[in-house]
Amino acid sequence: MSDQKLTIPKHIAIIMDGNGRWAKQRLQPRFMGHRAGVKAVEGIVKRCAQLGVEVLSLFAFSSENWRRPGKEVSLLMELFSHALNNQVKKLHENNIKLQIIGDISGFSSSLQKQISQAHELTQHNTGLILNIAANYGGRWDITQSVRQLAGQVARGELAAEDISEEMINRHLTTASLPEPDLFIRTGGEQRVSNFLLWQMAYTEFYFTDVLWPEVDFGQLNIAIDSFSRRERRFGRTSEQLQDDSDA
């Protein structure tokens, strides 16, 4: 499959599922699966940059993941910190902008400092935007946006009847980004699990049984090829799309 045959999405969002099962299949602790998952991230980030994808959003840690066993959560935080220490400079050298979305106040002060430093180092880069959702939930994102608007109403700065979808969107954590064109979930599950709920209203979904640590360039190309074959109507008819293309 050649890259020329693919319609490249501007924004790809991924739930990287299957790390624990990958490790279990190999009789390894779950943490080894998460470590292998980080290696897969490196490859997919590189591939997306090569293809000209503008934004890659990865669901690294959901607000519900705090319910996991304490030891696993602690190891995930260590892995997140280690990845920031070891990868941010490389991202910067490759003109990749890193941003973390989510309620980072839930993290340790040292991890919050690392996140702030990563943002500062890469903020002016003009290549791929690597958007990492950490302690993130789609419902939380919508709630915090609406809460900001409610504050404006309470202060008399905005009339409730003037609140629009565009205003809500403007206060989401992804306000500066295009909406996802393609959503990929690995590991066989077929649900969005509270990820970018508002933003994925018209996103194309692609599910695969492949476990995240096994995802490579070929798997990504298969997902993008599937996307390329979709007819994206956004509420219009096929005939209207044809008329537009003929105009």
Side-chain angles (χ1 to χ4, degrees), residues 5 67 83 103 122 146 174 177 235:
K5 295 179 181 179
R67 302 171 186 170
D103 184 7
T122 66
V146 172
T174 56
L177 305 176

Side-chain angles (χ1 to χ4, degrees), residues 100-221:
I100 312 294
I101 62 169
D103 184 7
I104 64 171
S105 66
F107 297 136
S108 67
S109 58
S110 60
L111 186 52
Q112 289 183 51
K113 183 177 180 180
Q114 283 184 276
I115 291 171
S116 177
Q117 291 172 338
H119 284 173
E120 184 175 353
L121 178 63
T122 66
Q123 63 179 327
H124 298 301
N125 291 343
T126 58
L128 173 71
I129 297 174
L130 179 57
N131 186 47
I132 303 293
N135 197 21
Y136 175 89
R139 290 177 177 176
W140 166 84
D141 201 1
I142 296 168
T143 300
Q144 64 83 30
S145 172
V146 172
R147 187 178 291 130
Q148 292 182 62
L149 293 172
Q152 293 181 34
V153 172
R155 294 189 297 272
E157 300 168 0
L158 177 68
E161 58 269 23
D162 290 335
I163 294 176
S164 64
E165 290 184 11
E166 192 278 330
M167 287 181 182
I168 294 174
N169 189 69
R170 195 163 61 228
H171 288 85
L172 295 174
T173 58
T174 56
S176 63
L177 305 176
E179 293 183 347
D181 300 297
L182 172 62
F183 165 70
I184 301 170
R185 181 164 187 160
T186 64
E189 302 293 352
Q190 298 188 17
R191 53 180 177 266
V192 297
S193 295
N194 200 20
F195 184 38
L196 300 177
L197 296 180
W198 178 280
Q199 297 88 334
M200 293 201 295
Y202 280 98
T203 299
E204 300 296 327
F205 286 14
Y206 177 84
F207 299 104
T208 175
D209 291 333
V210 176
L211 303 178
W212 175 250
E214 299 171 343
V215 172
D216 56 16
F217 291 4
Q219 294 295 332
L220 180 64
N221 278 10

Side-chain angles (χ1 to χ4, degrees), residues 49 86-98 118 121-122 125-127:
N86 288 274
Q87 297 299 323
V88 171
K89 185 177 180 181
K90 185 184 296 184
L91 293 174
H92 181 53
E93 291 172 349
N94 286 279
N95 196 32
I96 294 173
K97 179 179 179 179
L98 176 67
L121 178 63
T122 66
N125 291 343
T126 58

